Amino acid sequence: MLHLKCCAEITPWDHDENVGQGFLNAWRIATMAKCQRCGKGTQFGNNRPWSRKATRRNWQINVQKVTVFENGRAVSKKLCASCIKSLTKA
């Protein structure tokens, strides 16, 4: 007897580990690479080689984990390089 799962019962762990890993990794990167100060995140666009064949790609921002002082307390944040640069100038 074949048991079919409805959509609510299917989890990401039910599938083969190799299927969809590229999508999951791209999703993790796109959601994680975000500055907590300015909100700058991943940008999306096309690769345009000499043949003009457009393929999708994304540009990651330079996010670093740094410790900053807020209201006299040390707080760990993920900031982009431009925000770190502006904080050191202030």
Side-chain angles (χ1 to χ4, degrees), residues 4-72:
L4 298 176
K5 291 185 177 184
C6 72
C7 294
E9 295 175 347
I10 295 175
T11 63
W13 300 279
D14 289 339
H15 303 290
D16 185 9
E17 289 184 14
N18 297 327
V19 176
Q21 284 301 312
F23 169 76
L24 290 176
N25 289 336
W27 181 79
R28 278 190 205 110
I29 290 169
T31 56
M32 291 175 56
K34 193 163 199 173
C35 180
Q36 292 179 338
R37 184 169 179 245
C38 66
K40 188 188 295 185
T42 304
Q43 298 234 330
F44 299 93
N46 290 321
N47 269 339
R48 286 291 185 162
W50 186 79
S51 65
R52 306 298 290 161
K53 171 71 172 163
T55 56
R56 298 296 290 172
R57 65 156 293 179
N58 54 16
W59 285 267
Q60 300 300 323
I61 61 167
N62 187 4
V63 176
Q64 307 290 325
K65 189 174 181 181
V66 294
T67 303
V68 294
F69 286 96
E70 286 185 349
N71 302 327

Short mmCIF file of all heavy atoms in Angstrom, two decimals, residues 4-72:
data_model
loop_
_atom_site.label_atom_id
_atom_site.label_comp_id
_atom_site.label_asym_id
_atom_site.label_seq_id
_atom_site.Cartn_x
_atom_site.Cartn_y
_atom_site.Cartn_z
N LEU A 4 0.57 8.38 0.75
CA LEU A 4 0.88 9.69 0.23
C LEU A 4 0.73 10.72 1.34
O LEU A 4 -0.23 10.69 2.10
CB LEU A 4 -0.04 10.05 -0.94
CG LEU A 4 0.06 9.15 -2.16
CD1 LEU A 4 -0.98 9.56 -3.19
CD2 LEU A 4 1.44 9.24 -2.76
N LYS A 5 1.68 11.63 1.42
CA LYS A 5 1.62 12.68 2.43
C LYS A 5 0.98 13.92 1.83
O LYS A 5 1.21 14.24 0.67
CB LYS A 5 3.02 13.03 2.91
CG LYS A 5 3.68 11.95 3.72
CD LYS A 5 5.00 12.44 4.24
CE LYS A 5 5.63 11.39 5.12
NZ LYS A 5 6.87 11.87 5.72
N CYS A 6 0.18 14.59 2.62
CA CYS A 6 -0.36 15.87 2.14
C CYS A 6 0.73 16.93 2.30
O CYS A 6 1.76 16.69 2.93
CB CYS A 6 -1.62 16.24 2.91
SG CYS A 6 -1.32 16.76 4.60
N CYS A 7 0.53 18.09 1.75
CA CYS A 7 1.55 19.14 1.77
C CYS A 7 1.93 19.54 3.19
O CYS A 7 3.07 19.92 3.45
CB CYS A 7 1.06 20.37 1.01
SG CYS A 7 0.86 20.05 -0.74
N ALA A 8 1.00 19.49 4.13
CA ALA A 8 1.30 19.90 5.50
C ALA A 8 2.23 18.92 6.19
O ALA A 8 2.93 19.27 7.13
CB ALA A 8 0.01 20.04 6.29
N GLU A 9 2.24 17.66 5.76
CA GLU A 9 3.06 16.64 6.41
C GLU A 9 4.48 16.57 5.85
O GLU A 9 5.34 15.98 6.47
CB GLU A 9 2.41 15.26 6.25
CG GLU A 9 1.09 15.12 6.94
CD GLU A 9 0.45 13.78 6.65
OE1 GLU A 9 0.90 13.08 5.73
OE2 GLU A 9 -0.51 13.44 7.35
N ILE A 10 4.74 17.19 4.71
CA ILE A 10 6.06 17.12 4.09
C ILE A 10 6.97 18.16 4.73
O ILE A 10 6.61 19.32 4.87
CB ILE A 10 5.98 17.36 2.57
CG1 ILE A 10 5.17 16.23 1.92
CG2 ILE A 10 7.37 17.44 1.96
CD1 ILE A 10 4.93 16.43 0.45
N THR A 11 8.14 17.71 5.15
CA THR A 11 9.14 18.61 5.73
C THR A 11 10.37 18.60 4.83
O THR A 11 10.54 17.69 4.01
CB THR A 11 9.54 18.14 7.14
OG1 THR A 11 10.14 16.86 7.05
CG2 THR A 11 8.33 18.08 8.05
N PRO A 12 11.27 19.57 4.99
CA PRO A 12 12.50 19.57 4.18
C PRO A 12 13.36 18.33 4.39
O PRO A 12 14.14 17.96 3.55
CB PRO A 12 13.24 20.82 4.65
CG PRO A 12 12.19 21.69 5.23
CD PRO A 12 11.14 20.77 5.78
N TRP A 13 13.19 17.67 5.55
CA TRP A 13 14.01 16.50 5.85
C TRP A 13 13.49 15.24 5.18
O TRP A 13 14.15 14.22 5.18
CB TRP A 13 14.07 16.30 7.37
CG TRP A 13 14.68 17.49 8.00
CD1 TRP A 13 16.00 17.78 8.10
CD2 TRP A 13 14.00 18.60 8.56
NE1 TRP A 13 16.19 19.00 8.71
CE2 TRP A 13 14.98 19.52 9.00
CE3 TRP A 13 12.67 18.92 8.73
CZ2 TRP A 13 14.66 20.72 9.61
CZ3 TRP A 13 12.36 20.12 9.35
CH2 TRP A 13 13.34 20.99 9.77
N ASP A 14 12.29 15.28 4.59
CA ASP A 14 11.72 14.13 3.90
C ASP A 14 12.38 13.90 2.55
O ASP A 14 12.28 12.83 1.99
CB ASP A 14 10.22 14.30 3.68
CG ASP A 14 9.44 14.18 4.97
OD1 ASP A 14 9.98 13.60 5.93
OD2 ASP A 14 8.31 14.66 5.00
N HIS A 15 13.05 14.89 2.00
CA HIS A 15 13.60 14.80 0.67
C HIS A 15 15.05 14.36 0.70
O HIS A 15 15.72 14.41 1.73
CB HIS A 15 13.48 16.16 -0.04
CG HIS A 15 12.07 16.65 -0.10
ND1 HIS A 15 11.12 16.08 -0.90
CD2 HIS A 15 11.44 17.65 0.57
CE1 HIS A 15 9.98 16.70 -0.74
NE2 HIS A 15 10.15 17.66 0.15
N ASP A 16 15.55 13.95 -0.43
CA ASP A 16 16.96 13.59 -0.56
C ASP A 16 17.82 14.80 -0.20
O ASP A 16 17.51 15.92 -0.57
CB ASP A 16 17.23 13.14 -2.00
CG ASP A 16 18.64 12.63 -2.20
OD1 ASP A 16 19.39 12.46 -1.21
OD2 ASP A 16 19.00 12.43 -3.35
N GLU A 17 18.94 14.58 0.50
CA GLU A 17 19.78 15.68 0.96
C GLU A 17 20.37 16.48 -0.19
O GLU A 17 20.62 17.67 -0.07
CB GLU A 17 20.90 15.16 1.85
CG GLU A 17 20.40 14.69 3.20
CD GLU A 17 21.55 14.27 4.09
OE1 GLU A 17 22.70 14.57 3.77
OE2 GLU A 17 21.28 13.62 5.10
N ASN A 18 20.64 15.85 -1.32
CA ASN A 18 21.30 16.53 -2.43
C ASN A 18 20.34 17.37 -3.27
O ASN A 18 20.78 18.22 -4.03
CB ASN A 18 22.01 15.53 -3.32
CG ASN A 18 23.12 14.82 -2.57
OD1 ASN A 18 23.75 15.42 -1.71
ND2 ASN A 18 23.35 13.57 -2.89
N VAL A 19 19.06 17.12 -3.15
CA VAL A 19 18.09 17.83 -3.97
C VAL A 19 17.80 19.19 -3.33
O VAL A 19 17.45 19.27 -2.17
CB VAL A 19 16.78 17.02 -4.10
CG1 VAL A 19 15.73 17.80 -4.86
CG2 VAL A 19 17.07 15.70 -4.77
N GLY A 20 17.96 20.24 -4.08
CA GLY A 20 17.61 21.57 -3.62
C GLY A 20 18.63 22.22 -2.71
O GLY A 20 18.32 23.24 -2.11
N GLN A 21 19.80 21.68 -2.55
CA GLN A 21 20.79 22.27 -1.65
C GLN A 21 21.25 23.64 -2.15
O GLN A 21 21.50 24.51 -1.35
CB GLN A 21 21.99 21.34 -1.48
CG GLN A 21 21.70 20.15 -0.57
CD GLN A 21 21.27 20.58 0.83
OE1 GLN A 21 21.89 21.42 1.45
NE2 GLN A 21 20.18 20.02 1.30
N GLY A 22 21.37 23.78 -3.46
CA GLY A 22 21.78 25.08 -3.99
C GLY A 22 20.77 26.16 -3.62
O GLY A 22 21.14 27.26 -3.22
N PHE A 23 19.49 25.83 -3.73
CA PHE A 23 18.45 26.79 -3.36
C PHE A 23 18.49 27.11 -1.88
O PHE A 23 18.42 28.27 -1.48
CB PHE A 23 17.07 26.25 -3.74
CG PHE A 23 15.95 27.07 -3.16
CD1 PHE A 23 15.62 28.29 -3.73
CD2 PHE A 23 15.24 26.65 -2.05
CE1 PHE A 23 14.61 29.06 -3.20
CE2 PHE A 23 14.24 27.42 -1.52
CZ PHE A 23 13.92 28.62 -2.10
N LEU A 24 18.64 26.07 -1.04
CA LEU A 24 18.67 26.29 0.39
C LEU A 24 19.87 27.13 0.80
O LEU A 24 19.77 28.02 1.64
CB LEU A 24 18.68 24.96 1.15
CG LEU A 24 17.38 24.16 1.08
CD1 LEU A 24 17.56 22.82 1.78
CD2 LEU A 24 16.25 24.93 1.73
N ASN A 25 21.04 26.86 0.22
CA ASN A 25 22.22 27.64 0.54
C ASN A 25 22.06 29.08 0.09
O ASN A 25 22.42 30.00 0.82
CB ASN A 25 23.47 27.03 -0.11
CG ASN A 25 23.85 25.73 0.56
OD1 ASN A 25 23.52 25.50 1.71
ND2 ASN A 25 24.55 24.89 -0.17
N ALA A 26 21.51 29.30 -1.09
CA ALA A 26 21.28 30.66 -1.57
C ALA A 26 20.28 31.38 -0.68
O ALA A 26 20.44 32.56 -0.36
CB ALA A 26 20.78 30.64 -3.01
N TRP A 27 19.28 30.66 -0.20
CA TRP A 27 18.27 31.25 0.68
C TRP A 27 18.89 31.65 2.01
O TRP A 27 18.65 32.73 2.53
CB TRP A 27 17.13 30.28 0.89
CG TRP A 27 16.05 30.84 1.75
CD1 TRP A 27 15.07 31.72 1.37
CD2 TRP A 27 15.84 30.59 3.13
NE1 TRP A 27 14.27 32.03 2.44
CE2 TRP A 27 14.72 31.33 3.54
CE3 TRP A 27 16.48 29.80 4.06
CZ2 TRP A 27 14.24 31.30 4.83
CZ3 TRP A 27 16.01 29.78 5.35
CH2 TRP A 27 14.89 30.53 5.73
N ARG A 28 19.74 30.76 2.58
CA ARG A 28 20.41 31.07 3.84
C ARG A 28 21.30 32.30 3.69
O ARG A 28 21.30 33.18 4.54
CB ARG A 28 21.26 29.89 4.30
CG ARG A 28 20.48 28.83 4.99
CD ARG A 28 21.42 27.82 5.63
NE ARG A 28 20.72 26.57 5.75
CZ ARG A 28 20.96 25.49 5.06
NH1 ARG A 28 21.93 25.48 4.19
NH2 ARG A 28 20.26 24.40 5.24
N ILE A 29 22.07 32.37 2.62
CA ILE A 29 22.97 33.50 2.40
C ILE A 29 22.16 34.77 2.23
O ILE A 29 22.49 35.81 2.80
CB ILE A 29 23.87 33.24 1.18
CG1 ILE A 29 24.87 32.14 1.50
CG2 ILE A 29 24.60 34.51 0.76
CD1 ILE A 29 25.63 31.64 0.29
N ALA A 30 21.09 34.71 1.45
CA ALA A 30 20.30 35.90 1.19
C ALA A 30 19.64 36.42 2.46
O ALA A 30 19.49 37.63 2.64
CB ALA A 30 19.24 35.61 0.13
N THR A 31 19.25 35.53 3.37
CA THR A 31 18.59 35.98 4.58
C THR A 31 19.59 36.39 5.64
O THR A 31 19.30 37.25 6.46
CB THR A 31 17.67 34.90 5.15
OG1 THR A 31 18.43 33.71 5.36
CG2 THR A 31 16.52 34.63 4.23
N MET A 32 20.77 35.81 5.65
CA MET A 32 21.74 36.10 6.70
C MET A 32 22.58 37.33 6.39
O MET A 32 22.98 38.04 7.31
CB MET A 32 22.65 34.90 6.92
CG MET A 32 21.94 33.72 7.55
SD MET A 32 22.97 32.27 7.67
CE MET A 32 24.36 32.88 8.59
N ALA A 33 22.91 37.56 5.15
CA ALA A 33 23.82 38.66 4.80
C ALA A 33 23.05 39.97 4.82
O ALA A 33 22.62 40.48 3.79
CB ALA A 33 24.46 38.41 3.45
N LYS A 34 22.87 40.54 6.02
CA LYS A 34 22.15 41.79 6.15
C LYS A 34 22.75 42.57 7.30
O LYS A 34 23.00 42.04 8.37
CB LYS A 34 20.67 41.51 6.42
CG LYS A 34 19.79 42.70 6.27
CD LYS A 34 18.36 42.29 6.14
CE LYS A 34 17.59 43.44 5.53
NZ LYS A 34 16.25 43.07 5.21
N CYS A 35 22.99 43.85 7.05
CA CYS A 35 23.57 44.73 8.07
C CYS A 35 22.49 45.07 9.09
O CYS A 35 21.37 45.42 8.73
CB CYS A 35 24.12 45.99 7.41
SG CYS A 35 24.86 47.13 8.59
N GLN A 36 22.85 44.99 10.37
CA GLN A 36 21.87 45.29 11.42
C GLN A 36 21.77 46.78 11.70
O GLN A 36 20.92 47.20 12.47
CB GLN A 36 22.25 44.54 12.71
CG GLN A 36 22.08 43.05 12.59
CD GLN A 36 22.47 42.32 13.86
OE1 GLN A 36 23.21 42.82 14.68
NE2 GLN A 36 21.95 41.11 14.00
N ARG A 37 22.61 47.59 11.08
CA ARG A 37 22.56 49.04 11.30
C ARG A 37 21.81 49.74 10.16
O ARG A 37 20.88 50.49 10.38
CB ARG A 37 23.96 49.61 11.41
CG ARG A 37 24.00 51.08 11.71
CD ARG A 37 25.40 51.54 12.07
NE ARG A 37 25.43 52.95 12.33
CZ ARG A 37 26.08 53.84 11.60
NH1 ARG A 37 26.79 53.44 10.56
NH2 ARG A 37 26.06 55.10 11.90
N CYS A 38 22.24 49.49 8.91
CA CYS A 38 21.64 50.21 7.78
C CYS A 38 20.63 49.35 7.01
O CYS A 38 19.89 49.86 6.18
CB CYS A 38 22.73 50.70 6.82
SG CYS A 38 23.64 49.38 6.00
N GLY A 39 20.61 48.03 7.23
CA GLY A 39 19.66 47.17 6.55
C GLY A 39 20.07 46.75 5.16
O GLY A 39 19.30 46.14 4.43
N LYS A 40 21.30 47.10 4.76
CA LYS A 40 21.79 46.72 3.43
C LYS A 40 21.84 45.20 3.34
O LYS A 40 22.29 44.53 4.25
CB LYS A 40 23.17 47.31 3.21
CG LYS A 40 23.70 47.15 1.80
CD LYS A 40 25.15 47.58 1.70
CE LYS A 40 25.31 49.06 1.95
NZ LYS A 40 26.71 49.50 1.74
N GLY A 41 21.40 44.65 2.22
CA GLY A 41 21.36 43.20 2.06
C GLY A 41 21.87 42.75 0.71
O GLY A 41 22.46 43.52 -0.05
N THR A 42 21.62 41.50 0.40
CA THR A 42 22.05 40.91 -0.84
C THR A 42 21.35 41.57 -2.03
O THR A 42 20.16 41.86 -1.98
CB THR A 42 21.73 39.41 -0.84
OG1 THR A 42 22.34 38.82 0.30
CG2 THR A 42 22.24 38.73 -2.08
N GLN A 43 22.10 41.80 -3.11
CA GLN A 43 21.54 42.34 -4.33
C GLN A 43 21.49 41.24 -5.38
O GLN A 43 22.39 40.39 -5.42
CB GLN A 43 22.39 43.49 -4.83
CG GLN A 43 22.45 44.63 -3.85
CD GLN A 43 22.06 45.93 -4.48
OE1 GLN A 43 22.26 46.14 -5.65
NE2 GLN A 43 21.48 46.80 -3.67
N PHE A 44 20.47 41.25 -6.21
CA PHE A 44 20.30 40.21 -7.22
C PHE A 44 20.36 40.82 -8.61
O PHE A 44 19.97 41.97 -8.81
CB PHE A 44 18.96 39.50 -7.03
CG PHE A 44 18.84 38.82 -5.70
CD1 PHE A 44 18.27 39.46 -4.63
CD2 PHE A 44 19.34 37.55 -5.52
CE1 PHE A 44 18.16 38.86 -3.41
CE2 PHE A 44 19.25 36.93 -4.30
CZ PHE A 44 18.66 37.58 -3.24
N GLY A 45 20.87 40.04 -9.57
CA GLY A 45 20.94 40.52 -10.93
C GLY A 45 21.32 39.41 -11.88
O GLY A 45 21.10 38.23 -11.60
N ASN A 46 21.91 39.77 -13.02
CA ASN A 46 22.28 38.80 -14.04
C ASN A 46 23.78 38.84 -14.31
O ASN A 46 24.39 39.90 -14.28
CB ASN A 46 21.57 39.10 -15.36
CG ASN A 46 20.10 38.82 -15.30
OD1 ASN A 46 19.68 37.85 -14.68
ND2 ASN A 46 19.31 39.67 -15.91
N ASN A 47 24.35 37.67 -14.59
CA ASN A 47 25.67 37.61 -15.19
C ASN A 47 25.50 37.92 -16.67
O ASN A 47 24.56 37.43 -17.31
CB ASN A 47 26.26 36.20 -15.07
CG ASN A 47 27.06 36.02 -13.82
OD1 ASN A 47 27.52 36.98 -13.23
ND2 ASN A 47 27.21 34.78 -13.42
N ARG A 48 26.35 38.75 -17.22
CA ARG A 48 26.27 39.08 -18.65
C ARG A 48 27.63 38.86 -19.30
O ARG A 48 28.42 39.78 -19.41
CB ARG A 48 25.86 40.55 -18.83
CG ARG A 48 24.42 40.83 -18.53
CD ARG A 48 23.54 40.21 -19.57
NE ARG A 48 22.14 40.58 -19.34
CZ ARG A 48 21.22 40.48 -20.24
NH1 ARG A 48 21.51 40.04 -21.43
NH2 ARG A 48 19.99 40.81 -19.96
N PRO A 49 27.90 37.64 -19.76
CA PRO A 49 29.17 37.40 -20.44
C PRO A 49 29.15 37.96 -21.87
O PRO A 49 28.17 38.57 -22.30
CB PRO A 49 29.27 35.88 -20.45
CG PRO A 49 27.87 35.41 -20.44
CD PRO A 49 27.10 36.43 -19.64
N TRP A 50 30.23 37.73 -22.57
CA TRP A 50 30.35 38.23 -23.94
C TRP A 50 29.24 37.72 -24.84
O TRP A 50 28.78 38.42 -25.74
CB TRP A 50 31.72 37.82 -24.50
CG TRP A 50 32.00 38.40 -25.84
CD1 TRP A 50 32.42 39.67 -26.13
CD2 TRP A 50 31.88 37.74 -27.09
NE1 TRP A 50 32.57 39.84 -27.47
CE2 TRP A 50 32.23 38.65 -28.10
CE3 TRP A 50 31.49 36.45 -27.46
CZ2 TRP A 50 32.23 38.32 -29.44
CZ3 TRP A 50 31.48 36.13 -28.80
CH2 TRP A 50 31.85 37.06 -29.78
N SER A 51 28.75 36.50 -24.56
CA SER A 51 27.68 35.92 -25.38
C SER A 51 26.31 36.52 -25.08
O SER A 51 25.35 36.21 -25.76
CB SER A 51 27.62 34.41 -25.16
OG SER A 51 27.24 34.14 -23.82
N ARG A 52 26.24 37.37 -24.05
CA ARG A 52 25.00 38.03 -23.63
C ARG A 52 23.96 37.06 -23.09
O ARG A 52 22.78 37.38 -23.01
CB ARG A 52 24.39 38.87 -24.77
CG ARG A 52 25.32 39.88 -25.39
CD ARG A 52 25.80 40.93 -24.41
NE ARG A 52 24.71 41.81 -24.03
CZ ARG A 52 24.71 42.59 -22.95
NH1 ARG A 52 25.72 42.57 -22.14
NH2 ARG A 52 23.70 43.36 -22.67
N LYS A 53 24.37 35.85 -22.71
CA LYS A 53 23.47 34.87 -22.09
C LYS A 53 23.28 35.25 -20.63
O LYS A 53 24.21 35.19 -19.83
CB LYS A 53 24.08 33.47 -22.21
CG LYS A 53 23.38 32.39 -21.44
CD LYS A 53 22.06 32.04 -22.05
CE LYS A 53 21.49 30.82 -21.33
NZ LYS A 53 20.09 30.66 -21.58
N ALA A 54 22.07 35.66 -20.27
CA ALA A 54 21.82 36.13 -18.91
C ALA A 54 21.57 34.94 -17.98
O ALA A 54 20.69 34.12 -18.24
CB ALA A 54 20.61 37.05 -18.89
N THR A 55 22.34 34.86 -16.92
CA THR A 55 22.12 33.86 -15.87
C THR A 55 22.05 34.59 -14.54
O THR A 55 22.76 35.58 -14.33
CB THR A 55 23.24 32.80 -15.84
OG1 THR A 55 24.49 33.45 -15.69
CG2 THR A 55 23.23 31.95 -17.10
N ARG A 56 21.20 34.14 -13.67
CA ARG A 56 20.98 34.82 -12.39
C ARG A 56 22.18 34.67 -11.46
O ARG A 56 22.82 33.64 -11.43
CB ARG A 56 19.74 34.27 -11.70
CG ARG A 56 18.45 34.46 -12.48
CD ARG A 56 18.08 35.89 -12.67
NE ARG A 56 17.66 36.52 -11.42
CZ ARG A 56 17.43 37.82 -11.28
NH1 ARG A 56 17.58 38.63 -12.30
NH2 ARG A 56 17.05 38.31 -10.15
N ARG A 57 22.43 35.72 -10.68
CA ARG A 57 23.48 35.66 -9.66
C ARG A 57 23.14 36.65 -8.57
O ARG A 57 22.21 37.44 -8.70
CB ARG A 57 24.85 35.97 -10.25
CG ARG A 57 25.01 37.37 -10.77
CD ARG A 57 26.44 37.83 -10.80
NE ARG A 57 26.97 37.95 -9.46
CZ ARG A 57 28.21 38.32 -9.18
NH1 ARG A 57 29.04 38.59 -10.16
NH2 ARG A 57 28.63 38.43 -7.95
N ASN A 58 23.88 36.60 -7.46
CA ASN A 58 23.68 37.57 -6.40
C ASN A 58 25.00 38.12 -5.92
O ASN A 58 26.04 37.49 -6.05
CB ASN A 58 22.87 36.97 -5.25
CG ASN A 58 23.46 35.70 -4.71
OD1 ASN A 58 24.61 35.37 -4.97
ND2 ASN A 58 22.70 34.96 -3.95
N TRP A 59 24.95 39.34 -5.41
CA TRP A 59 26.13 40.02 -4.88
C TRP A 59 25.97 40.12 -3.38
O TRP A 59 25.00 40.72 -2.89
CB TRP A 59 26.26 41.42 -5.47
CG TRP A 59 26.75 41.44 -6.87
CD1 TRP A 59 28.04 41.55 -7.29
CD2 TRP A 59 25.97 41.34 -8.06
NE1 TRP A 59 28.10 41.53 -8.66
CE2 TRP A 59 26.82 41.39 -9.16
CE3 TRP A 59 24.61 41.19 -8.32
CZ2 TRP A 59 26.40 41.32 -10.46
CZ3 TRP A 59 24.17 41.11 -9.61
CH2 TRP A 59 25.05 41.19 -10.67
N GLN A 60 26.92 39.54 -2.63
CA GLN A 60 26.88 39.58 -1.18
C GLN A 60 27.56 40.85 -0.68
O GLN A 60 28.54 41.31 -1.26
CB GLN A 60 27.58 38.36 -0.60
CG GLN A 60 26.98 37.03 -1.03
CD GLN A 60 25.55 36.90 -0.60
OE1 GLN A 60 25.17 37.35 0.48
NE2 GLN A 60 24.73 36.29 -1.44
N ILE A 61 27.06 41.38 0.41
CA ILE A 61 27.72 42.51 1.03
C ILE A 61 28.76 41.99 2.01
O ILE A 61 28.71 40.84 2.44
CB ILE A 61 26.71 43.44 1.74
CG1 ILE A 61 25.97 42.71 2.85
CG2 ILE A 61 25.75 44.03 0.75
CD1 ILE A 61 25.22 43.64 3.76
N ASN A 62 29.70 42.85 2.36
CA ASN A 62 30.78 42.48 3.26
C ASN A 62 30.30 42.66 4.70
O ASN A 62 30.40 43.73 5.28
CB ASN A 62 32.00 43.35 2.97
CG ASN A 62 33.21 42.91 3.74
OD1 ASN A 62 33.18 41.93 4.45
ND2 ASN A 62 34.27 43.67 3.61
N VAL A 63 29.74 41.59 5.29
CA VAL A 63 29.20 41.63 6.65
C VAL A 63 30.23 41.03 7.60
O VAL A 63 30.74 39.94 7.35
CB VAL A 63 27.87 40.86 6.74
CG1 VAL A 63 27.37 40.83 8.16
CG2 VAL A 63 26.83 41.49 5.85
N GLN A 64 30.53 41.77 8.67
CA GLN A 64 31.47 41.31 9.68
C GLN A 64 30.77 41.31 11.03
O GLN A 64 29.92 42.16 11.30
CB GLN A 64 32.69 42.25 9.77
CG GLN A 64 33.37 42.50 8.45
CD GLN A 64 34.12 41.28 7.95
OE1 GLN A 64 34.66 40.53 8.75
NE2 GLN A 64 34.14 41.10 6.65
N LYS A 65 31.14 40.34 11.87
CA LYS A 65 30.62 40.30 13.23
C LYS A 65 31.54 41.12 14.11
O LYS A 65 32.73 40.82 14.24
CB LYS A 65 30.55 38.86 13.72
CG LYS A 65 29.83 38.70 15.02
CD LYS A 65 29.67 37.24 15.37
CE LYS A 65 28.92 37.11 16.68
NZ LYS A 65 28.78 35.70 17.06
N VAL A 66 31.02 42.20 14.71
CA VAL A 66 31.83 43.11 15.52
C VAL A 66 31.13 43.36 16.85
O VAL A 66 29.92 43.14 16.99
CB VAL A 66 32.07 44.46 14.82
CG1 VAL A 66 32.93 44.29 13.60
CG2 VAL A 66 30.77 45.12 14.47
N THR A 67 31.90 43.79 17.82
CA THR A 67 31.36 44.17 19.12
C THR A 67 31.37 45.69 19.21
O THR A 67 32.42 46.31 19.05
CB THR A 67 32.20 43.57 20.26
OG1 THR A 67 32.24 42.15 20.09
CG2 THR A 67 31.59 43.90 21.61
N VAL A 68 30.21 46.27 19.45
CA VAL A 68 30.08 47.72 19.57
C VAL A 68 29.49 48.04 20.93
O VAL A 68 28.85 47.19 21.56
CB VAL A 68 29.19 48.32 18.45
CG1 VAL A 68 29.82 48.16 17.10
CG2 VAL A 68 27.81 47.70 18.47
N PHE A 69 29.73 49.26 21.39
CA PHE A 69 29.19 49.70 22.67
C PHE A 69 27.94 50.54 22.43
O PHE A 69 27.97 51.54 21.71
CB PHE A 69 30.24 50.51 23.44
CG PHE A 69 31.32 49.66 24.00
CD1 PHE A 69 32.50 49.49 23.30
CD2 PHE A 69 31.15 49.00 25.20
CE1 PHE A 69 33.50 48.69 23.80
CE2 PHE A 69 32.15 48.20 25.71
CZ PHE A 69 33.33 48.04 25.02
N GLU A 70 26.82 50.10 23.04
CA GLU A 70 25.55 50.83 22.97
C GLU A 70 25.06 51.05 24.39
O GLU A 70 24.89 50.08 25.14
CB GLU A 70 24.51 50.04 22.17
CG GLU A 70 24.73 50.05 20.69
CD GLU A 70 23.60 49.35 19.96
OE1 GLU A 70 22.76 48.69 20.60
OE2 GLU A 70 23.56 49.47 18.73
N ASN A 71 24.84 52.29 24.74
CA ASN A 71 24.36 52.64 26.09
C ASN A 71 25.25 52.07 27.18
O ASN A 71 24.77 51.58 28.20
CB ASN A 71 22.91 52.19 26.28
CG ASN A 71 21.98 52.79 25.26
OD1 ASN A 71 22.18 53.93 24.82
ND2 ASN A 71 20.97 52.06 24.84
N GLY A 72 26.56 52.06 26.94
CA GLY A 72 27.51 51.58 27.93
C GLY A 72 27.65 50.07 28.02
O GLY A 72 28.35 49.56 28.88
#
